[in-house]
Amino acid sequence: MAEQIELMNKDFPQTAEQTSAAHLAYLGDCVYEMLVREYLIKTGCSKPSISSLSYVTASAQSSALEKILPLLTEGEEDAYRRGRNCVHGNAPKNSSVSEYRRATGLEALFGYLYVRGESERIRELFVAAFSE
């Protein structure tokens, strides 16, 4: 079974531009969550499960997006817009529809960069999103 499944493989069967916005957001959610967890552990956070809520809610992701939006390249902006505009289910009750859509766009952006193998750019944007 392990030979059949290659995780963390940078050789995707399609390009980031060909990958659906929903799939990019799905991947990006995981990438973003991993960065948050790594950051909290590295900073010595004693309650990472609780502290992570400051980063992973739709409103927190929407705020993070506002900080990095001016830094995005044209391709990155396209990936963000695709995620923001893809079909959404119901927004969580603790966020607005616009916050939820922007958060999904942020996740799609991180998924896009992941599929392209741009891990340094992912980290650069994550740091910029949460710098003071």
Side-chain angles (χ1 to χ4, degrees):
M1 178 101 160
E3 294 105 28
Q4 296 173 356
I5 300 172
E6 293 184 41
L7 299 178
M8 304 301 286
N9 183 359
K10 303 249 188 300
D11 297 326
F12 279 82
Q14 68 270 351
T15 67
E17 292 76 16
Q18 294 170 322
T19 304
S20 77
H23 286 165
L24 290 176
Y26 180 72
L27 281 171
D29 177 52
C30 180
V31 170
Y32 184 84
E33 179 79 27
M34 188 70 178
L35 287 168
V36 168
R37 289 177 182 211
E38 178 183 306
Y39 172 75
L40 293 173
I41 297 301
K42 283 183 176 180
T43 58
C45 180
S46 61
K47 296 185 180 187
S49 294
I50 295 168
S51 296
S52 68
L53 296 177
S54 304
Y55 299 88
V56 299
T57 63
S59 58
Q61 289 179 328
S62 179
S63 295
L65 173 78
E66 293 304 316
K67 291 176 91 173
I68 65 170
L69 207 48
L71 306 174
L72 300 183
T73 66
E74 186 176 326
E76 292 167 349
E77 284 180 9
D78 289 344
Y80 158 70
R81 278 192 295 273
R82 286 177 54 211
R84 181 195 65 197
N85 295 335
C86 75
V87 177
H88 294 81
N90 295 333
K93 59 185 171 188
N94 59 348
S95 69
S96 69
V97 172
S98 62
E99 285 176 325
Y100 182 65
R101 291 172 62 99
R102 284 193 302 269
T104 304
L106 177 71
E107 292 169 349
L109 168 62
F110 276 78
Y112 167 83
L113 292 170
Y114 176 80
V115 170
R116 291 177 53 93
E118 297 185 31
S119 57
E120 288 302 314
R121 181 63 172 159
I122 291 169
R123 289 185 181 282
E124 179 183 317
L125 292 175
F126 183 80
V127 168
F130 295 105
S131 63
E132 294 302 319

